[in-house]
Amino acid sequence: MKKFKKIYIEITNICNLACAFCPSATREKAYMSEEDFTDIIREIKPFTDYVYFHVKGEPLLHPKLGVFLDICHSYGMKVNITTNGTLISRALKELEGKEALRQVNFSLHSFGGEKEDKIKYLKDILMASKKLRMTTAANISYRFWNMQPEDEQGTMTERREINPDVINDTEKYLRILEREYGVEGSLKDMVPAGRGIKLAERVYISRDYEFTWPSLAEEEDEGDGFCYGLRTHAGILSDGTVIPCCLDGEGVISLGNIKEGSFGDIINSPRAEAIYEGFSNRRAVEELCRKCGYRKKFGPS
């Protein structure tokens, strides 16, 4: 039996923001029901001990977030939540005291949306972080995944025009975090791309390059590369569609539906096996995979 490090469960594909780096899901908007969620947890329990409450969508929007955490706890499963943080004050009561909660990742590169008070947004997150550290054993991670790659000459290679406000807001937030956690030095200099550091007990910060979600509309390449999809993780969309990778936000590579078949049969289907064997030989067999630049992060061979 395959054992995954984590399985992504998209409890909703609805988001309250429209960030430039994250295209909205074109699928039918949905909140996963308590019955479906319970069935999924029961089905995947033999395959993992860790679940992540997203693929697309904002998990703090779900009205039964606290109930879902309790269900996970009853099955001995730990939960990671990645959120833009704008709803944390409203949703905090659903998170406090939850034993299943393992980590909360705040995607600070969303900056709370263009219409929000950006300083209040960060202060709300810092206050919530304190309460979560007091009432749970969860880790807190502040993410700035908006760095831009540089070419070999050290000049900027832009996938899209960089908004100067993004740079300014990032630096402003980093300075606030420096003061909040008594950091000596500049976090901008201390945290390199693709890495993270510890700010305090159970509090971390990470920075990374902005990535492009794979799309069938992108240009196809030669297909070399590697992916950990179906090795370390798999995903389940809000309608029950099982996907091999957390970046297949539209369910292009549908391996089956967990409402119609067992998870074990789905991840061992011929299509799933072909994907797995293909990447074992450093080859992408699916069209979407050949149009995904993320696999190149792990090298062509």
Side-chain angles (χ1 to χ4, degrees):
M1 179 183 295
K2 293 179 181 178
K3 193 77 171 182
F4 295 106
K5 288 184 178 180
K6 54 196 172 187
I7 293 178
Y8 293 82
I9 304 177
E10 183 187 70
I11 61 175
T12 181
N13 62 352
I14 302 170
C15 188
N16 61 317
L17 297 184
C19 299
F21 56 82
C22 184
S24 299
T26 60
R27 295 174 279 119
E28 182 179 354
K29 305 301 183 184
Y31 290 102
M32 187 174 285
S33 70
E34 181 178 345
E35 179 182 4
D36 285 345
F37 181 81
T38 303
D39 289 343
I40 288 171
I41 292 297
R42 185 185 301 116
E43 183 72 21
I44 68 173
K45 173 56 185 172
F47 299 89
T48 192
D49 295 319
Y50 300 95
V51 294
Y52 287 50
F53 278 4
H54 76 284
V55 174
K56 286 290 188 70
E58 169 52 56
L60 299 192
L61 276 172
H62 203 291
K64 292 199 172 183
L65 178 62
V67 174
F68 286 6
L69 285 166
D70 290 338
I71 292 170
C72 287
H73 179 61
S74 70
Y75 281 88
M77 302 184 79
K78 294 295 184 179
V79 177
N80 281 36
I81 291 176
T82 297
T83 172
N84 60 47
T86 56
L87 305 175
I88 189 60
S89 295
R90 187 183 78 181
L92 185 59
K93 63 181 182 301
E94 301 293 328
L95 303 176
E96 287 184 290
K98 297 302 183 182
E99 296 182 72
L101 195 59
R102 175 180 177 270
Q103 183 159 312
V104 179
N105 303 310
F106 290 104
S107 297
L108 296 184
H109 45 272
S110 66
F111 302 116
E114 295 181 359
K115 297 181 180 180
E116 296 290 332
D117 181 333
K118 295 182 179 182
I119 299 302
K120 180 181 184 302
Y121 159 74
L122 182 55
K123 288 183 176 180
D124 286 347
I125 287 174
L126 292 175
M127 181 175 296
S129 298
K130 290 179 181 179
K131 290 184 178 179
L132 290 174
R133 291 172 67 199
M134 291 172 58
T135 64
T136 74
N139 296 315
I140 303 296
S141 176
Y142 303 122
R143 290 181 172 180
F144 293 88
W145 288 9
N146 57 356
M147 298 178 71
Q148 294 295 316
E150 295 180 347
D151 63 20
E152 293 180 357
Q153 287 72 41
T155 58
M156 200 67 72
T157 302
E158 298 181 350
R159 278 185 294 247
R160 61 182 178 85
E161 184 178 354
I162 303 174
N163 185 340
D165 290 341
V166 170
I167 299 174
N168 293 335
D169 289 339
T170 298
E171 294 180 352
K172 184 186 303 178
Y173 282 14
L174 290 174
R175 288 196 295 270
I176 292 174
L177 290 174
E178 289 165 4
R179 292 195 298 270
E180 177 73 15
Y181 293 102
V183 176
E184 296 183 2
S186 168
L187 286 174
K188 182 179 179 181
D189 298 329
M190 295 167 64
V191 188
R195 302 291 296 275
I197 65 171
K198 185 176 182 178
L199 293 178
E201 189 63 31
R202 297 179 12 237
V203 181
Y204 303 87
I205 179 175
S206 68
R207 301 186 71 197
D208 210 337
Y209 296 117
E210 179 183 320
F211 67 87
T212 301
W213 284 82
S215 167
L216 292 178
E218 296 293 326
E219 184 176 350
E220 187 172 330
D221 63 25
E222 70 285 349
D224 294 338
F226 183 77
C227 179
Y228 284 98
L230 293 176
R231 278 179 161 75
T232 62
H233 68 277
I236 302 171
L237 299 180
S238 54
D239 65 355
T241 298
V242 178
I243 53 176
C245 172
C246 59
L247 294 184
D248 185 6
E250 292 302 323
V252 173
I253 310 175
S254 173
L255 302 177
N257 194 295
I258 201 167
K259 297 179 183 180
E260 301 168 358
S262 74
F263 186 73
D265 287 344
I266 291 171
I267 61 170
N268 288 294
S269 65
R271 189 176 189 182
E273 289 295 330
I275 294 170
Y276 188 97
E277 291 302 320
F279 280 122
S280 294
N281 295 305
R282 300 303 193 266
R283 296 289 297 174
V285 301
E286 291 281 346
E287 179 184 359
L288 184 68
C289 299
R290 293 193 296 272
K291 295 180 175 181
C292 176
Y294 196 76
R295 60 183 158 79
K296 295 184 178 181
K297 180 176 182 179
F298 307 108
S301 61

